[in-house]
Amino acid sequence: MRRRRFLALAATGMVSGAGLTATGCGGGDTGDGKGKTLRVVAAEYGTRGNSSKTWWHDRVSAFREQHPEIDVQVTIQSWQDVDRTVAEMVESGQAPDIAQIGSYASYAAGGDLYPAHDLLSIPVQADFLPGLAQAGELRRTQYGMPFAASTRLFFYNKTLFREAGLDPERPPKTWKDLREAAEALKAAGVKIPYGLPLGPEEAPAETMLWMLSGGGGFTNNVGTYTIDSEENVRTFTWLRDELVRGELVQSKSPGNTNRQEMFTAFAAGEVGMLNGHPLLIDFARDNDLEYGTAPLPGREGPAESTMGVADWVLAFKQNGNRREIGLFLDFLYSVEQYATLVQSFDLLPVTTSASDRMSEDAEQKHLSSFLEQLPAAVFYPMGKVSWAQTSLDVKERIGKAVEPGGRPENVLGTLQRSALSAETSAV
């Protein structure tokens, strides 16, 4: 079980980030008879020199003022490495006390984690946004504590719209509108009318966004995989026929294009439209790009929901530090401490108290559209132990569905069968 879990988690790369490691070692008693040491492994959120190391240092220092008997040692790694590092630590019998990573279900299913109700005070646990708390559950028990979130919106280049004779204040609302806008952008000489990144960096996200806009999804309301549903087949058939065959995207093989490449091209003024998350705002601002955001265009009108992504805090049982972990997490999620995280890194908060504070902060107004989407956002089926393998399969295969000669029904059918097989094997 552990070997299979390790291989699955080690293979799931998230977003590449600047690598930085702060020293961290030890666990349990400190050896001086004065208290305990907590080991924390966390992901790097910083960009352009704004490292997470400073944020964690300040939080740990403030915590030690209240609890001098508890030492907290934090190791910070890039998103490219952090999931793998934690998997290796658990595999070798040296689990951290706390990990802030991208998935939790395999560890929860293996009995490695404390449930949230064994750690957090009632007010802190109740402060999580309901949809995010539910997304952290395995078999109706919350093990994954959300740490930061983001949603996705439709981005478009207002300057390119204007040059193509399109109204920059009227973004597409339907797939038909999107195709017509893409055709106008192409006629005006825009290099990439619509950016469709289905490469391995974040193929599951782009896939899910299009599924949602077509009325489908990876699962249904009761959590059963529906990858090859009629709605999803119709969606990817439309992408193949209307965008890829029409040469309105970056290439005839979107499965070879990663998200970062499209973000960079959008910021350079080469892409007319694409789906994006809050980080794209920084890219656009750095390049003085005039952009707009809107709900995702849907088959017959704006999509009713968008995708949400969350990162998770996990608390491991191995070292037996339940009380100390609970004290530290209660402190970390207090609005005074937690709000500084989302302020520092342009993230969306996972608690009601921090959301209320963000909505009142004029300096974070640029995130308001994303924040409004969060309560109704749909998340990956992270509570499925099979999701890690299913996500890998999507990264490898989904691009083939939209190639000019692709067969969406075959690709989605293969993914459905693989997902069901992985689900059966995980039970």
Side-chain angles (χ1 to χ4, degrees), residues 39 95-101 104 107-108 111-116 118-120 143-145 312-319 321-322 324-326 329:
R39 292 183 303 164
D97 295 287
I98 297 170
Q100 182 256 303
I101 56 177
Y104 65 87
Y107 299 120
D112 296 324
L113 304 180
Y114 288 114
D118 281 354
L119 301 165
L120 304 176
Y143 293 95
M145 291 163 278
W312 305 97
V313 166
L314 287 59
F316 287 88
K317 294 178 177 180
Q318 185 181 100
N319 300 316
N321 293 327
R322 182 182 66 82
E324 291 77 15
I325 293 171
L329 292 181

PDB file of all heavy atoms in Angstrom, residues 39 95-101 104 107-108 111-116 118-120 143-145 312-319 321-322 324-326 329:
ATOM      1  N   ARG A  39       8.195  19.318  13.104  1.00  0.00           N
ATOM      2  CA  ARG A  39       8.803  19.437  11.784  1.00  0.00           C
ATOM      3  C   ARG A  39       7.707  19.741  10.761  1.00  0.00           C
ATOM      4  O   ARG A  39       6.719  19.021  10.674  1.00  0.00           O
ATOM      5  CB  ARG A  39       9.532  18.150  11.397  1.00  0.00           C
ATOM      6  CG  ARG A  39      10.769  17.863  12.219  1.00  0.00           C
ATOM      7  CD  ARG A  39      11.453  16.601  11.711  1.00  0.00           C
ATOM      8  NE  ARG A  39      10.557  15.451  11.724  1.00  0.00           N
ATOM      9  CZ  ARG A  39      10.800  14.324  11.066  1.00  0.00           C
ATOM     10  NH1 ARG A  39      11.876  14.204  10.326  1.00  0.00           N
ATOM     11  NH2 ARG A  39       9.953  13.308  11.142  1.00  0.00           N
ATOM     12  N   ALA A  95       8.070  10.640   8.761  1.00  0.00           N
ATOM     13  CA  ALA A  95       7.050  11.604   8.358  1.00  0.00           C
ATOM     14  C   ALA A  95       7.217  12.912   9.125  1.00  0.00           C
ATOM     15  O   ALA A  95       7.560  12.912  10.308  1.00  0.00           O
ATOM     16  CB  ALA A  95       5.657  11.036   8.613  1.00  0.00           C
ATOM     17  N   PRO A  96       6.955  14.036   8.466  1.00  0.00           N
ATOM     18  CA  PRO A  96       6.932  15.306   9.197  1.00  0.00           C
ATOM     19  C   PRO A  96       5.699  15.345  10.092  1.00  0.00           C
ATOM     20  O   PRO A  96       4.782  14.531   9.952  1.00  0.00           O
ATOM     21  CB  PRO A  96       6.846  16.352   8.084  1.00  0.00           C
ATOM     22  CG  PRO A  96       6.105  15.649   6.983  1.00  0.00           C
ATOM     23  CD  PRO A  96       6.576  14.215   7.048  1.00  0.00           C
ATOM     24  N   ASP A  97       5.664  16.287  11.001  1.00  0.00           N
ATOM     25  CA  ASP A  97       4.456  16.466  11.796  1.00  0.00           C
ATOM     26  C   ASP A  97       3.369  17.141  10.972  1.00  0.00           C
ATOM     27  O   ASP A  97       2.191  16.789  11.063  1.00  0.00           O
ATOM     28  CB  ASP A  97       4.763  17.315  13.034  1.00  0.00           C
ATOM     29  CG  ASP A  97       5.714  16.606  13.977  1.00  0.00           C
ATOM     30  OD1 ASP A  97       5.275  15.651  14.640  1.00  0.00           O
ATOM     31  OD2 ASP A  97       6.895  16.991  14.029  1.00  0.00           O
ATOM     32  N   ILE A  98       3.775  18.119  10.160  1.00  0.00           N
ATOM     33  CA  ILE A  98       2.841  18.875   9.333  1.00  0.00           C
ATOM     34  C   ILE A  98       3.425  18.974   7.927  1.00  0.00           C
ATOM     35  O   ILE A  98       4.623  19.239   7.766  1.00  0.00           O
ATOM     36  CB  ILE A  98       2.618  20.295   9.900  1.00  0.00           C
ATOM     37  CG1 ILE A  98       1.980  20.232  11.292  1.00  0.00           C
ATOM     38  CG2 ILE A  98       1.749  21.135   8.960  1.00  0.00           C
ATOM     39  CD1 ILE A  98       1.952  21.570  12.005  1.00  0.00           C
ATOM     40  N   ALA A  99       2.586  18.764   6.937  1.00  0.00           N
ATOM     41  CA  ALA A  99       2.997  18.972   5.551  1.00  0.00           C
ATOM     42  C   ALA A  99       1.977  19.862   4.866  1.00  0.00           C
ATOM     43  O   ALA A  99       0.772  19.694   5.051  1.00  0.00           O
ATOM     44  CB  ALA A  99       3.122  17.640   4.812  1.00  0.00           C
ATOM     45  N   GLN A 100       2.456  20.800   4.084  1.00  0.00           N
ATOM     46  CA  GLN A 100       1.578  21.684   3.309  1.00  0.00           C
ATOM     47  C   GLN A 100       1.877  21.385   1.839  1.00  0.00           C
ATOM     48  O   GLN A 100       2.867  21.839   1.282  1.00  0.00           O
ATOM     49  CB  GLN A 100       1.856  23.141   3.663  1.00  0.00           C
ATOM     50  CG  GLN A 100       0.962  24.142   2.942  1.00  0.00           C
ATOM     51  CD  GLN A 100       1.706  24.831   1.827  1.00  0.00           C
ATOM     52  OE1 GLN A 100       2.746  25.443   2.046  1.00  0.00           O
ATOM     53  NE2 GLN A 100       1.169  24.739   0.618  1.00  0.00           N
ATOM     54  N   ILE A 101       1.002  20.541   1.243  1.00  0.00           N
ATOM     55  CA  ILE A 101       1.270  19.992  -0.085  1.00  0.00           C
ATOM     56  C   ILE A 101      -0.009  19.970  -0.923  1.00  0.00           C
ATOM     57  O   ILE A 101      -0.989  20.625  -0.573  1.00  0.00           O
ATOM     58  CB  ILE A 101       1.881  18.572   0.018  1.00  0.00           C
ATOM     59  CG1 ILE A 101       0.987  17.624   0.832  1.00  0.00           C
ATOM     60  CG2 ILE A 101       3.276  18.637   0.633  1.00  0.00           C
ATOM     61  CD1 ILE A 101       1.504  16.196   0.900  1.00  0.00           C
ATOM     62  N   TYR A 104      -3.944  14.762  -0.192  1.00  0.00           N
ATOM     63  CA  TYR A 104      -4.018  14.174   1.150  1.00  0.00           C
ATOM     64  C   TYR A 104      -4.623  12.778   1.175  1.00  0.00           C
ATOM     65  O   TYR A 104      -4.428  12.009   2.117  1.00  0.00           O
ATOM     66  CB  TYR A 104      -4.874  15.065   2.074  1.00  0.00           C
ATOM     67  CG  TYR A 104      -6.320  15.128   1.645  1.00  0.00           C
ATOM     68  CD1 TYR A 104      -7.235  14.179   2.079  1.00  0.00           C
ATOM     69  CD2 TYR A 104      -6.766  16.119   0.788  1.00  0.00           C
ATOM     70  CE1 TYR A 104      -8.554  14.209   1.655  1.00  0.00           C
ATOM     71  CE2 TYR A 104      -8.077  16.166   0.358  1.00  0.00           C
ATOM     72  CZ  TYR A 104      -8.966  15.209   0.795  1.00  0.00           C
ATOM     73  OH  TYR A 104     -10.267  15.235   0.363  1.00  0.00           O
ATOM     74  N   TYR A 107      -2.645   9.404   2.030  1.00  0.00           N
ATOM     75  CA  TYR A 107      -2.177   9.340   3.419  1.00  0.00           C
ATOM     76  C   TYR A 107      -3.352   9.097   4.377  1.00  0.00           C
ATOM     77  O   TYR A 107      -3.224   8.351   5.351  1.00  0.00           O
ATOM     78  CB  TYR A 107      -1.464  10.637   3.796  1.00  0.00           C
ATOM     79  CG  TYR A 107      -0.240  10.913   2.957  1.00  0.00           C
ATOM     80  CD1 TYR A 107      -0.154  12.070   2.172  1.00  0.00           C
ATOM     81  CD2 TYR A 107       0.845  10.043   2.949  1.00  0.00           C
ATOM     82  CE1 TYR A 107       0.964  12.333   1.415  1.00  0.00           C
ATOM     83  CE2 TYR A 107       1.971  10.299   2.186  1.00  0.00           C
ATOM     84  CZ  TYR A 107       2.026  11.448   1.418  1.00  0.00           C
ATOM     85  OH  TYR A 107       3.129  11.710   0.653  1.00  0.00           O
ATOM     86  N   ALA A 108      -4.475   9.737   4.097  1.00  0.00           N
ATOM     87  CA  ALA A 108      -5.639   9.529   4.954  1.00  0.00           C
ATOM     88  C   ALA A 108      -6.123   8.082   4.863  1.00  0.00           C
ATOM     89  O   ALA A 108      -6.435   7.455   5.883  1.00  0.00           O
ATOM     90  CB  ALA A 108      -6.759  10.491   4.555  1.00  0.00           C
ATOM     91  N   GLY A 111      -4.217   5.654   6.961  1.00  0.00           N
ATOM     92  CA  GLY A 111      -4.257   5.812   8.406  1.00  0.00           C
ATOM     93  C   GLY A 111      -3.118   6.633   8.980  1.00  0.00           C
ATOM     94  O   GLY A 111      -2.842   6.565  10.181  1.00  0.00           O
ATOM     95  N   ASP A 112      -2.470   7.437   8.147  1.00  0.00           N
ATOM     96  CA  ASP A 112      -1.301   8.198   8.592  1.00  0.00           C
ATOM     97  C   ASP A 112      -1.642   9.535   9.240  1.00  0.00           C
ATOM     98  O   ASP A 112      -0.779  10.144   9.887  1.00  0.00           O
ATOM     99  CB  ASP A 112      -0.378   8.476   7.399  1.00  0.00           C
ATOM    100  CG  ASP A 112       0.198   7.218   6.795  1.00  0.00           C
ATOM    101  OD1 ASP A 112       0.488   6.284   7.562  1.00  0.00           O
ATOM    102  OD2 ASP A 112       0.365   7.168   5.562  1.00  0.00           O
ATOM    103  N   LEU A 113      -2.871  10.028   9.057  1.00  0.00           N
ATOM    104  CA  LEU A 113      -3.185  11.407   9.412  1.00  0.00           C
ATOM    105  C   LEU A 113      -4.155  11.512  10.586  1.00  0.00           C
ATOM    106  O   LEU A 113      -5.027  10.669  10.781  1.00  0.00           O
ATOM    107  CB  LEU A 113      -3.809  12.129   8.206  1.00  0.00           C
ATOM    108  CG  LEU A 113      -3.021  12.139   6.908  1.00  0.00           C
ATOM    109  CD1 LEU A 113      -3.803  12.898   5.835  1.00  0.00           C
ATOM    110  CD2 LEU A 113      -1.639  12.764   7.103  1.00  0.00           C
ATOM    111  N   TYR A 114      -4.001  12.607  11.332  1.00  0.00           N
ATOM    112  CA  TYR A 114      -5.006  12.994  12.310  1.00  0.00           C
ATOM    113  C   TYR A 114      -6.179  13.628  11.568  1.00  0.00           C
ATOM    114  O   TYR A 114      -5.982  14.443  10.657  1.00  0.00           O
ATOM    115  CB  TYR A 114      -4.461  14.034  13.280  1.00  0.00           C
ATOM    116  CG  TYR A 114      -3.445  13.547  14.285  1.00  0.00           C
ATOM    117  CD1 TYR A 114      -2.125  14.001  14.227  1.00  0.00           C
ATOM    118  CD2 TYR A 114      -3.803  12.688  15.317  1.00  0.00           C
ATOM    119  CE1 TYR A 114      -1.182  13.588  15.171  1.00  0.00           C
ATOM    120  CE2 TYR A 114      -2.874  12.266  16.259  1.00  0.00           C
ATOM    121  CZ  TYR A 114      -1.567  12.716  16.174  1.00  0.00           C
ATOM    122  OH  TYR A 114      -0.647  12.305  17.107  1.00  0.00           O
ATOM    123  N   PRO A 115      -7.408  13.335  11.929  1.00  0.00           N
ATOM    124  CA  PRO A 115      -8.537  14.095  11.377  1.00  0.00           C
ATOM    125  C   PRO A 115      -8.537  15.506  11.952  1.00  0.00           C
ATOM    126  O   PRO A 115      -8.027  15.748  13.056  1.00  0.00           O
ATOM    127  CB  PRO A 115      -9.761  13.301  11.834  1.00  0.00           C
ATOM    128  CG  PRO A 115      -9.304  12.540  13.043  1.00  0.00           C
ATOM    129  CD  PRO A 115      -7.841  12.265  12.838  1.00  0.00           C
ATOM    130  N   ALA A 116      -9.102  16.418  11.197  1.00  0.00           N
ATOM    131  CA  ALA A 116      -9.086  17.826  11.612  1.00  0.00           C
ATOM    132  C   ALA A 116      -9.741  18.025  12.972  1.00  0.00           C
ATOM    133  O   ALA A 116      -9.292  18.853  13.768  1.00  0.00           O
ATOM    134  CB  ALA A 116      -9.785  18.678  10.555  1.00  0.00           C
ATOM    135  N   ASP A 118      -9.628  16.299  15.536  1.00  0.00           N
ATOM    136  CA  ASP A 118      -8.750  15.936  16.643  1.00  0.00           C
ATOM    137  C   ASP A 118      -7.683  16.989  16.908  1.00  0.00           C
ATOM    138  O   ASP A 118      -6.939  16.892  17.896  1.00  0.00           O
ATOM    139  CB  ASP A 118      -8.046  14.604  16.352  1.00  0.00           C
ATOM    140  CG  ASP A 118      -8.946  13.402  16.616  1.00  0.00           C
ATOM    141  OD1 ASP A 118     -10.066  13.603  17.127  1.00  0.00           O
ATOM    142  OD2 ASP A 118      -8.528  12.276  16.306  1.00  0.00           O
ATOM    143  N   LEU A 119      -7.620  17.990  16.041  1.00  0.00           N
ATOM    144  CA  LEU A 119      -6.546  18.982  16.127  1.00  0.00           C
ATOM    145  C   LEU A 119      -7.043  20.391  16.406  1.00  0.00           C
ATOM    146  O   LEU A 119      -6.509  21.090  17.265  1.00  0.00           O
ATOM    147  CB  LEU A 119      -5.754  18.999  14.804  1.00  0.00           C
ATOM    148  CG  LEU A 119      -5.096  17.698  14.358  1.00  0.00           C
ATOM    149  CD1 LEU A 119      -4.697  17.802  12.898  1.00  0.00           C
ATOM    150  CD2 LEU A 119      -3.869  17.409  15.214  1.00  0.00           C
ATOM    151  N   LEU A 120      -8.051  20.792  15.663  1.00  0.00           N
ATOM    152  CA  LEU A 120      -8.465  22.192  15.663  1.00  0.00           C
ATOM    153  C   LEU A 120      -9.559  22.460  16.685  1.00  0.00           C
ATOM    154  O   LEU A 120     -10.402  21.608  16.956  1.00  0.00           O
ATOM    155  CB  LEU A 120      -8.971  22.587  14.271  1.00  0.00           C
ATOM    156  CG  LEU A 120      -8.007  22.362  13.109  1.00  0.00           C
ATOM    157  CD1 LEU A 120      -8.700  22.706  11.797  1.00  0.00           C
ATOM    158  CD2 LEU A 120      -6.745  23.199  13.288  1.00  0.00           C
ATOM    159  N   TYR A 143      -9.675  15.279   6.653  1.00  0.00           N
ATOM    160  CA  TYR A 143      -8.255  15.086   6.931  1.00  0.00           C
ATOM    161  C   TYR A 143      -7.415  16.188   6.289  1.00  0.00           C
ATOM    162  O   TYR A 143      -6.385  16.583   6.824  1.00  0.00           O
ATOM    163  CB  TYR A 143      -7.781  13.731   6.400  1.00  0.00           C
ATOM    164  CG  TYR A 143      -8.378  12.551   7.105  1.00  0.00           C
ATOM    165  CD1 TYR A 143      -9.510  11.912   6.600  1.00  0.00           C
ATOM    166  CD2 TYR A 143      -7.817  12.060   8.276  1.00  0.00           C
ATOM    167  CE1 TYR A 143     -10.068  10.816   7.245  1.00  0.00           C
ATOM    168  CE2 TYR A 143      -8.366  10.962   8.934  1.00  0.00           C
ATOM    169  CZ  TYR A 143      -9.487  10.343   8.413  1.00  0.00           C
ATOM    170  OH  TYR A 143     -10.034   9.264   9.057  1.00  0.00           O
ATOM    171  N   GLY A 144      -7.849  16.651   5.119  1.00  0.00           N
ATOM    172  CA  GLY A 144      -7.145  17.725   4.444  1.00  0.00           C
ATOM    173  C   GLY A 144      -7.672  19.066   4.913  1.00  0.00           C
ATOM    174  O   GLY A 144      -8.852  19.372   4.776  1.00  0.00           O
ATOM    175  N   MET A 145      -6.790  19.868   5.497  1.00  0.00           N
ATOM    176  CA  MET A 145      -7.169  21.212   5.927  1.00  0.00           C
ATOM    177  C   MET A 145      -6.718  22.194   4.854  1.00  0.00           C
ATOM    178  O   MET A 145      -5.526  22.294   4.578  1.00  0.00           O
ATOM    179  CB  MET A 145      -6.519  21.528   7.284  1.00  0.00           C
ATOM    180  CG  MET A 145      -7.090  20.706   8.423  1.00  0.00           C
ATOM    181  SD  MET A 145      -6.049  20.675   9.917  1.00  0.00           S
ATOM    182  CE  MET A 145      -4.855  19.392   9.466  1.00  0.00           C
ATOM    183  N   TRP A 312      -3.231  21.815   0.609  1.00  0.00           N
ATOM    184  CA  TRP A 312      -3.709  21.196   1.833  1.00  0.00           C
ATOM    185  C   TRP A 312      -2.647  21.124   2.915  1.00  0.00           C
ATOM    186  O   TRP A 312      -1.462  20.943   2.635  1.00  0.00           O
ATOM    187  CB  TRP A 312      -4.209  19.777   1.537  1.00  0.00           C
ATOM    188  CG  TRP A 312      -5.245  19.768   0.469  1.00  0.00           C
ATOM    189  CD1 TRP A 312      -5.064  19.523  -0.855  1.00  0.00           C
ATOM    190  CD2 TRP A 312      -6.631  20.101   0.632  1.00  0.00           C
ATOM    191  NE1 TRP A 312      -6.256  19.667  -1.532  1.00  0.00           N
ATOM    192  CE2 TRP A 312      -7.230  20.007  -0.642  1.00  0.00           C
ATOM    193  CE3 TRP A 312      -7.419  20.449   1.730  1.00  0.00           C
ATOM    194  CZ2 TRP A 312      -8.579  20.260  -0.854  1.00  0.00           C
ATOM    195  CZ3 TRP A 312      -8.756  20.692   1.527  1.00  0.00           C
ATOM    196  CH2 TRP A 312      -9.330  20.599   0.251  1.00  0.00           C
ATOM    197  N   VAL A 313      -3.105  21.249   4.147  1.00  0.00           N
ATOM    198  CA  VAL A 313      -2.269  20.990   5.315  1.00  0.00           C
ATOM    199  C   VAL A 313      -2.644  19.618   5.862  1.00  0.00           C
ATOM    200  O   VAL A 313      -3.828  19.319   6.063  1.00  0.00           O
ATOM    201  CB  VAL A 313      -2.466  22.074   6.399  1.00  0.00           C
ATOM    202  CG1 VAL A 313      -1.865  21.635   7.723  1.00  0.00           C
ATOM    203  CG2 VAL A 313      -1.840  23.385   5.952  1.00  0.00           C
ATOM    204  N   LEU A 314      -1.634  18.789   6.085  1.00  0.00           N
ATOM    205  CA  LEU A 314      -1.815  17.440   6.612  1.00  0.00           C
ATOM    206  C   LEU A 314      -1.076  17.339   7.936  1.00  0.00           C
ATOM    207  O   LEU A 314       0.014  17.901   8.087  1.00  0.00           O
ATOM    208  CB  LEU A 314      -1.234  16.392   5.664  1.00  0.00           C
ATOM    209  CG  LEU A 314      -1.929  16.063   4.348  1.00  0.00           C
ATOM    210  CD1 LEU A 314      -2.064  17.277   3.440  1.00  0.00           C
ATOM    211  CD2 LEU A 314      -1.128  14.985   3.616  1.00  0.00           C
ATOM    212  N   ALA A 315      -1.629  16.633   8.889  1.00  0.00           N
ATOM    213  CA  ALA A 315      -0.984  16.420  10.183  1.00  0.00           C
ATOM    214  C   ALA A 315      -0.750  14.925  10.383  1.00  0.00           C
ATOM    215  O   ALA A 315      -1.715  14.150  10.473  1.00  0.00           O
ATOM    216  CB  ALA A 315      -1.838  16.981  11.315  1.00  0.00           C
ATOM    217  N   PHE A 316       0.509  14.516  10.448  1.00  0.00           N
ATOM    218  CA  PHE A 316       0.855  13.098  10.540  1.00  0.00           C
ATOM    219  C   PHE A 316       0.908  12.636  11.999  1.00  0.00           C
ATOM    220  O   PHE A 316       1.388  13.351  12.879  1.00  0.00           O
ATOM    221  CB  PHE A 316       2.193  12.840   9.865  1.00  0.00           C
ATOM    222  CG  PHE A 316       2.123  12.897   8.363  1.00  0.00           C
ATOM    223  CD1 PHE A 316       2.284  14.101   7.690  1.00  0.00           C
ATOM    224  CD2 PHE A 316       1.870  11.747   7.630  1.00  0.00           C
ATOM    225  CE1 PHE A 316       2.209  14.157   6.305  1.00  0.00           C
ATOM    226  CE2 PHE A 316       1.790  11.793   6.247  1.00  0.00           C
ATOM    227  CZ  PHE A 316       1.960  13.000   5.579  1.00  0.00           C
ATOM    228  N   LYS A 317       0.452  11.406  12.188  1.00  0.00           N
ATOM    229  CA  LYS A 317       0.381  10.818  13.523  1.00  0.00           C
ATOM    230  C   LYS A 317       1.716  10.302  14.048  1.00  0.00           C
ATOM    231  O   LYS A 317       1.878  10.118  15.262  1.00  0.00           O
ATOM    232  CB  LYS A 317      -0.593   9.625  13.519  1.00  0.00           C
ATOM    233  CG  LYS A 317      -2.039   9.949  13.264  1.00  0.00           C
ATOM    234  CD  LYS A 317      -2.837   8.636  13.260  1.00  0.00           C
ATOM    235  CE  LYS A 317      -4.315   8.852  13.074  1.00  0.00           C
ATOM    236  NZ  LYS A 317      -5.046   7.557  13.066  1.00  0.00           N
ATOM    237  N   GLN A 318       2.666  10.038  13.176  1.00  0.00           N
ATOM    238  CA  GLN A 318       3.824   9.217  13.516  1.00  0.00           C
ATOM    239  C   GLN A 318       4.543   9.635  14.781  1.00  0.00           C
ATOM    240  O   GLN A 318       4.904   8.788  15.611  1.00  0.00           O
ATOM    241  CB  GLN A 318       4.821   9.210  12.351  1.00  0.00           C
ATOM    242  CG  GLN A 318       6.000   8.289  12.567  1.00  0.00           C
ATOM    243  CD  GLN A 318       6.972   8.344  11.404  1.00  0.00           C
ATOM    244  OE1 GLN A 318       7.996   9.005  11.458  1.00  0.00           O
ATOM    245  NE2 GLN A 318       6.624   7.661  10.326  1.00  0.00           N
ATOM    246  N   ASN A 319       4.738  10.932  14.976  1.00  0.00           N
ATOM    247  CA  ASN A 319       5.517  11.401  16.124  1.00  0.00           C
ATOM    248  C   ASN A 319       4.675  11.645  17.371  1.00  0.00           C
ATOM    249  O   ASN A 319       5.217  12.013  18.425  1.00  0.00           O
ATOM    250  CB  ASN A 319       6.283  12.681  15.754  1.00  0.00           C
ATOM    251  CG  ASN A 319       7.247  12.449  14.606  1.00  0.00           C
ATOM    252  OD1 ASN A 319       7.959  11.448  14.574  1.00  0.00           O
ATOM    253  ND2 ASN A 319       7.242  13.354  13.637  1.00  0.00           N
ATOM    254  N   ASN A 321       2.535  14.016  18.166  1.00  0.00           N
ATOM    255  CA  ASN A 321       2.489  15.388  18.676  1.00  0.00           C
ATOM    256  C   ASN A 321       1.143  16.060  18.413  1.00  0.00           C
ATOM    257  O   ASN A 321       1.082  17.220  18.004  1.00  0.00           O
ATOM    258  CB  ASN A 321       3.621  16.213  18.043  1.00  0.00           C
ATOM    259  CG  ASN A 321       4.988  15.754  18.480  1.00  0.00           C
ATOM    260  OD1 ASN A 321       5.170  15.303  19.610  1.00  0.00           O
ATOM    261  ND2 ASN A 321       5.965  15.867  17.584  1.00  0.00           N
ATOM    262  N   ARG A 322       0.062  15.359  18.677  1.00  0.00           N
ATOM    263  CA  ARG A 322      -1.269  15.885  18.357  1.00  0.00           C
ATOM    264  C   ARG A 322      -1.544  17.219  19.030  1.00  0.00           C
ATOM    265  O   ARG A 322      -2.006  18.167  18.391  1.00  0.00           O
ATOM    266  CB  ARG A 322      -2.347  14.872  18.760  1.00  0.00           C
ATOM    267  CG  ARG A 322      -3.773  15.327  18.403  1.00  0.00           C
ATOM    268  CD  ARG A 322      -4.809  14.314  18.856  1.00  0.00           C
ATOM    269  NE  ARG A 322      -4.866  14.216  20.311  1.00  0.00           N
ATOM    270  CZ  ARG A 322      -5.556  15.060  21.082  1.00  0.00           C
ATOM    271  NH1 ARG A 322      -6.225  16.063  20.548  1.00  0.00           N
ATOM    272  NH2 ARG A 322      -5.575  14.889  22.390  1.00  0.00           N
ATOM    273  N   GLU A 324       0.506  19.531  20.255  1.00  0.00           N
ATOM    274  CA  GLU A 324       1.363  20.616  19.766  1.00  0.00           C
ATOM    275  C   GLU A 324       0.989  21.019  18.337  1.00  0.00           C
ATOM    276  O   GLU A 324       0.978  22.209  17.998  1.00  0.00           O
ATOM    277  CB  GLU A 324       2.835  20.178  19.824  1.00  0.00           C
ATOM    278  CG  GLU A 324       3.394  20.028  21.233  1.00  0.00           C
ATOM    279  CD  GLU A 324       2.946  18.750  21.922  1.00  0.00           C
ATOM    280  OE1 GLU A 324       2.433  17.823  21.228  1.00  0.00           O
ATOM    281  OE2 GLU A 324       3.086  18.671  23.160  1.00  0.00           O
ATOM    282  N   ILE A 325       0.654  20.031  17.515  1.00  0.00           N
ATOM    283  CA  ILE A 325       0.212  20.342  16.154  1.00  0.00           C
ATOM    284  C   ILE A 325      -1.064  21.176  16.193  1.00  0.00           C
ATOM    285  O   ILE A 325      -1.208  22.177  15.481  1.00  0.00           O
ATOM    286  CB  ILE A 325      -0.023  19.046  15.354  1.00  0.00           C
ATOM    287  CG1 ILE A 325       1.299  18.310  15.122  1.00  0.00           C
ATOM    288  CG2 ILE A 325      -0.702  19.339  14.018  1.00  0.00           C
ATOM    289  CD1 ILE A 325       1.132  16.919  14.542  1.00  0.00           C
ATOM    290  N   GLY A 326      -1.997  20.777  17.045  1.00  0.00           N
ATOM    291  CA  GLY A 326      -3.254  21.517  17.154  1.00  0.00           C
ATOM    292  C   GLY A 326      -3.056  22.951  17.599  1.00  0.00           C
ATOM    293  O   GLY A 326      -3.672  23.872  17.055  1.00  0.00           O
ATOM    294  N   LEU A 329      -1.559  24.891  14.593  1.00  0.00           N
ATOM    295  CA  LEU A 329      -2.506  25.139  13.512  1.00  0.00           C
ATOM    296  C   LEU A 329      -3.603  26.115  13.924  1.00  0.00           C
ATOM    297  O   LEU A 329      -4.028  26.959  13.122  1.00  0.00           O
ATOM    298  CB  LEU A 329      -3.116  23.814  13.044  1.00  0.00           C
ATOM    299  CG  LEU A 329      -2.153  22.857  12.345  1.00  0.00           C
ATOM    300  CD1 LEU A 329      -2.882  21.599  11.897  1.00  0.00           C
ATOM    301  CD2 LEU A 329      -1.471  23.520  11.149  1.00  0.00           C
TER     302      LEU A 329
END
